[in-house]
Amino acid sequence: MKIVVTVKLVPDPNAEKRIDPQTKRLVRTGVETMLNPYDEYALEAALQLKEGAGGDTTVTLFTMGPEALKETLRKALAMGADEAFVLSDPALEGSDVSVTSYAMAQALRKLPFDLLIVGGLTDDSSTGAVPGALAEHLGLPCVTNARKAEVTDGRLQVERETDAGYQTVSVPLPALLTTALTFGEPRYASLKGIMGAKKKTIATMSLAELGLDRPVGASGSKTELLTFAPPPARGKGQTIEASDGVSGAQAIFDFLKEKKLV
Amino acid sequence: MNNVIVYAEHRRGETRKVTFELVSEARKLADALGGKAYAVAVGPGSAQLAEQLKDYPLDAVYLNEDPDVDAFVLDPIVDYLEAAAKLAGPALMLIPNSLAGRDVAGRLLVRLDAGITADVIEFKVEDGAVACVSPKLGGALITTCELRPASYGISTVRPNAFAARPGGSGAELIPLEKPAGKAYAAAVESDVEEGSGELALEEAPVVVAGGRGLGGPEPFETLLKPLARALGGAVGASRAAADAGWVPYNLQIGQTGKTVTPSLYIAVGISGAIQHKVGMRASGTIVAINKDGAAPIAEFSDLLVVGDAFRIVPELTKLIEASKG
Ligand SMILES: Cc1cc2nc3c(=O)[nH]c(=O)nc-3n(C[C@H](O)[C@H](O)[C@H](O)COP(=O)(O)OP(=O)(O)OC[C@H]3O[C@@H](n4cnc5c(N)ncnc54)[C@H](O)[C@@H]3O)c2cc1C
Ligand SMILES: Nc1ncnc2c1ncn2[C@@H]1O[C@H](COP(=O)(O)O)[C@@H](O)[C@H]1O
C-alpha cells in the first residue's frame, strides 16, 4: 500500500510572526518553522497504518511551500516517513486556498497512492478547506476527522468524530482521510530515525512538470488580503492577592458585577 | 454574488445557536448586496428546523427530508448545497465554522469555483464587494480579506460572533429536488452520540476552563461544573488536563483544540501558555485564578486572583447562586 501524507510547514507560534508590508504576505522564510500540528497527527496515522499493514507499505510526504523550508521536513522523515516531495515555485507565492488546493491536486496526481492522509486544519490559515477541495479535484471518497482507521481487504474502515459524537464508516481505496487530534499522540523521532532521515530523499517538483490549465499565485486567487493588524491591545489587568477563599471569591464577584457579567 | 445562502446544519431537526446567528446576518448582507437570503435545511428533521427558521427574516428555506443525508457521510449535503446555490444564482454561502461546516466548505469551493474566507467575525459590504474580517495565526493578527468578484463566494463563520435577531415575515418553504444520478461511497454504519448534550463550548457565553492546577478529574465535576452552571456557561480545559485524561479532548481549548470567544472566560489553574492563549485571547473578559502571581496568564487577564482554586471557586459559586436569589 502506498500512503501519501500532506504536511505544511508553518511559523512557530513562539517565533515572532511577520507579514511583509509590501506584499501583505506571511514571511515564511527566515523564521522558525515547524510541522503544522494537525499534520503530525496525520503522519502518526500513516505510520500506524504502515505498521499494521506491514509488507511493502510506504509513507510519502508531500508539501507545497518554499524550498528553503525543506529541512523542517527532516523531522517528519525522522519520525518514520520514507521519502518526501516539495512542490516549490515562485509563481505559487500568494496562492489562496482555491489555488493551493488546485496546485496540490495537480502535483498529487503525479504521486500514485492508495491512501491520501491530510491534516484537518492549518495553524496559519486555518480554513480546513484544503482536504475537501482535494477530494473534489481528485474525485476521491473523503472521510474526515478520523480517530481510528484501519485498512482491510482494500477498504478503509474509519471511526470518525462528529460534532455530536462519532460514526463508523468504510470506503473503498483509493480514498482521502483526515485525522482528528484524538487519533493518538504523534511519536517522537528516535535517534536511529534521526540518523536514517539524513539519507532519505527530498525531491523537488516544479510547476512546469504539472501542466496547469489555470493561473496560480496571487493572480489566480479568488481572495485578496486588504489589511492586517494586531488585535486591539489587551492591557495587563489587575492582580489581587487573595488571603483566603472568601476574599478571593468576593474580589472576582465584585469585578464581575462591575462589568455587569453577573 | 448578491444572494446569501446559509447552510443550516442540524441533527434531526436540532440545531445550534450559530444557525440563527447566520440567518440573521444573511438578511443584513443580502440587503446590502441587493439580493435574497436563503437557508438550506436537508435531511431528516429539516421540516422541523424550517419551522423554527420562519421566525427569522429569510426569503426562503430550501428543504428536503431525504434520509440519504443521514445515511451517507457529507456527500449528499454537498450535492444539495450545490443544487441550491445553482438554483438561487450567484451567492455568498455562509457556513458555520464547525467540523462538518469546514468539510462542506472545502468541497463546495471546487463545485462552485469559489473563493473562501475562514473563521469570519465581521462582514463589510461596499459597492457590492464583500470584505471579511478574521483572526489569523491564533488571533495574533486580524485580517480583512476580500472575496474577489465572482459568481460564488464562501465564508465559514465563527459561532458567537454575530447576534441572532429573530423577526420573520414567514419565509417561503421551497422543496429542493434530490440531485439526480449520484452514488455515495461512504455509508454510515453506525452513528453514536457522545457527551451529555451540554452547551457547545464554542457557543457558550461563559467558559470556565481548568488546567493542570486542578490535579485530577474530580475538580472538573465538583468545582468547575457548578460554577459554569451558575454562570450559564460551559466547562473547558487546557491541553495538560486533556492529555492527562481528566476531560475528553473535545473540551480542549487552544492551538490544537477549540477557539472560543465567550463574553467571560475564567481560567482556573491554567498557566496561560501561548498555545492555550491563542484559543481564548479574543474572549470579552478574562479572569484567572492561579496560585502563582507570575504565571504568564497575568499578562492577558483582566483580573488575576492569586490564591488557591480549591478554596476560591466554591465560594464564588455560592456568591453567584446567592445573587440570583
Ligand atoms: C504543538 C503544541 C500544541 C499545543 N496545543 C495546546 C492547546 O491547544 N491548548 C493548551 O491548553 N495547551 C496546548 N499546548 C500545551 C501548552 O504549551 C501548555 O503545556 C499547557 O497549556 C499547559 O497547561 P496548564 O496551564 O493546564 O498547565 P501548567 O502550565 O502546568 O499550569 C498549571 C497552573 O496551575 C496553577 N496552580 C496549581 N495549583 C493550583 C491551585 N490549587 N489553585 C490555583 N492555581 C493552581 C499553577 O500555578 C500553574 O500556573 C500545546 C503545546 C504544543 C507544543
Ligand atoms: N501548502 C501546503 N502543503 C501541504 N499540505 C497542505 C498545504 N496547505 C494545506 N495543506 C494540508 O491541508 C490541511 C488543511 O489545511 P487548511 O485547509 O489550509 O486549513 C493541512 O493540515 C495540510 O495537511
Side-chain angles (χ1 to χ4, degrees):
Chain A
M1 180 165 59
K2 278 189 177 303
I3 304 175
V4 171
V5 184
T6 62
V7 294
K8 192 175 183 187
L9 308 174
V10 295
D12 188 319
N14 287 307
E16 201 191 331
K17 279 159 201 154
R18 282 172 298 136
I19 287 197
D20 184 325
Q22 224 97 64
T23 61
K24 295 192 190 158
R25 285 176 204 152
L26 189 64
V27 179
R28 291 189 184 277
T29 49
V31 294
E32 275 202 49
T33 56
M34 58 174 202
L35 274 183
N36 177 39
Y38 272 83
D39 299 345
E40 288 195 9
Y41 290 81
L43 175 54
E44 176 61 32
L47 297 173
Q48 284 183 25
L49 285 166
K50 174 177 165 158
E51 285 156 4
D56 53 0
T57 297
T58 55
V59 175
T60 300
L61 303 172
F62 171 83
T63 189
M64 172 178 139
E67 229 186 322
L69 302 185
K70 247 161 73 165
E71 286 316 304
T72 308
L73 277 177
R74 293 266 173 224
K75 186 186 163 200
L77 288 170
M79 281 168 70
D82 297 291
E83 54 173 356
F85 287 85
V86 184
L87 172 62
S88 194
D89 201 301
L92 286 166
E93 271 176 45
S95 293
D96 72 354
V97 179
S98 67
V99 173
T100 298
S101 53
Y102 166 71
M104 283 177 68
Q106 293 301 105
L108 288 165
R109 285 179 204 279
K110 304 273 175 199
L111 305 174
F113 57 79
D114 301 292
L115 181 61
L116 176 62
I117 309 185
V118 184
L121 200 65
T122 49
D123 212 42
D124 50 358
S125 64
S126 303
T127 64
V130 167
L134 287 178
E136 288 289 327
H137 280 301
L138 297 169
L140 294 171
C142 175
V143 182
T144 49
N145 308 315
R147 65 182 191 189
K148 276 188 201 149
E150 146 185 335
V151 173
T152 31
D153 304 328
R155 285 185 78 84
L156 175 68
Q157 193 81 38
V158 182
E159 195 171 295
R160 70 182 291 269
E161 295 198 346
T162 66
D163 284 296
Y166 70 93
Q167 295 176 328
T168 52
V169 50
S170 81
V171 290
L173 295 178
L176 184 152
L177 180 75
T178 75
T179 41
L181 298 178
T182 38
F183 201 97
E185 214 34 44
R187 64 194 64 195
Y188 285 103
S190 64
L191 193 60
K192 192 165 151 250
I194 294 169
M195 298 310 287
K198 294 190 176 134
K199 289 188 250 50
K200 292 176 179 169
T201 50
I202 301 180
T204 307
M205 302 168 94
S206 74
L207 283 180
E209 306 163 41
L210 302 186
L212 304 187
D213 55 15
R214 51 177 269 197
V216 294
S219 66
S221 292
K222 294 174 187 296
T223 55
E224 187 179 352
L225 182 60
L226 301 179
T227 64
F228 56 89
R234 171 155 227 149
K236 188 172 182 255
Q238 26 171 339
T239 297
I240 295 176
E241 300 274 345
S243 48
D244 57 28
V246 175
S247 70
Q250 192 66 49
I252 297 174
F253 184 76
D254 293 344
F255 177 80
L256 296 182
K257 215 163 152 191
E258 186 195 309
K259 295 253 175 193
K260 297 197 166 52
L261 288 163
V262 286
Chain B
M1 194 160 76
N2 58 334
N3 298 307
V4 182
I5 303 177
V6 174
Y7 165 36
E9 188 186 343
H10 67 99
R11 189 172 168 80
R12 302 189 191 115
E14 305 249 337
T15 193
R16 292 191 307 189
K17 211 172 80 194
V18 64
T19 302
F20 303 113
E21 294 165 3
L22 291 191
V23 293
S24 305
E25 189 62 15
R27 173 80 272 155
K28 238 173 88 185
L29 288 168
D31 289 345
L33 291 165
K36 294 197 163 159
Y38 303 98
V40 180
V42 290
S46 49
Q48 180 193 331
L49 172 59
E51 280 306 313
Q52 288 186 60
L53 290 173
K54 274 188 172 168
D55 295 338
Y56 288 81
L58 290 164
D59 291 294
V61 180
Y62 288 111
L63 77 162
N64 191 323
E65 288 258 332
D66 187 357
D68 273 359
V69 170
D70 283 358
F72 297 94
V73 175
L74 294 175
D75 297 343
I77 294 173
V78 175
D79 287 338
Y80 275 110
L81 283 167
E82 181 191 4
K86 294 194 168 150
L87 209 61
L92 171 65
M93 313 290 292
L94 299 188
I95 295 179
N97 189 3
S98 61
L99 283 183
R102 290 200 290 267
D103 289 343
V104 164
R107 310 271 307 265
L108 278 179
L109 172 84
V110 177
R111 299 277 181 101
L112 300 175
D113 195 21
I116 185 169
T117 55
D119 204 21
V120 176
I121 57 168
E122 187 187 345
F123 290 100
K124 297 175 186 164
V125 177
E126 220 169 291
D127 302 325
V130 181
C132 311
V133 179
S134 317
K136 290 282 169 217
L137 300 167
L141 281 174
I142 307 293
T143 61
T144 307
C145 202
E146 187 174 273
L147 288 163
R148 287 201 174 133
S151 298
Y152 293 96
I154 299 173
S155 293
T156 59
V157 180
R158 183 181 284 200
N160 250 355
F162 295 93
R165 286 178 238 95
S169 45
E172 191 188 347
L173 301 186
I174 304 179
L176 186 58
E177 215 169 292
K178 187 176 169 75
K182 305 281 183 183
Y184 300 124
V188 175
E189 288 158 10
S190 67
D191 184 52
V192 182
E193 284 191 25
E194 265 178 342
S196 42
E198 299 199 7
L199 203 55
L201 197 52
E202 297 97 318
E203 304 200 328
V206 176
V207 172
V208 180
R212 190 170 359 234
L214 290 179
E218 298 82 17
F220 282 84
E221 293 295 323
T222 56
L223 289 187
L224 299 200
K225 254 199 194 148
L227 177 58
R229 206 170 294 136
L231 288 164
V235 171
S238 73
R239 174 152 161 184
D243 276 346
W246 301 344
V247 296
Y249 272 106
N250 60 11
L251 295 194
Q252 182 185 318
I253 292 164
Q255 185 193 8
T256 43
K258 293 185 170 164
T259 301
V260 298
T261 34
S263 322
L264 173 62
Y265 190 91
I266 304 185
V268 186
I270 292 179
S271 62
I274 176 80
Q275 297 92 349
H276 187 76
K277 179 181 174 185
V278 298
M280 45 67 79
R281 66 193 296 164
S283 303
T285 297
I286 299 174
V287 173
I289 301 173
N290 200 305
K291 263 188 186 165
D292 176 8
I297 199 150
E299 297 303 319
F300 54 96
S301 306
D302 299 294
L303 173 67
L304 167 66
V305 172
V306 183
D308 184 357
F310 289 88
R311 296 178 189 276
I312 295 172
V313 174
E315 298 298 333
L316 178 59
T317 309
K318 272 192 229 159
L319 283 174
I320 292 164
E321 290 289 3
S323 76
K324 293 199 287 196

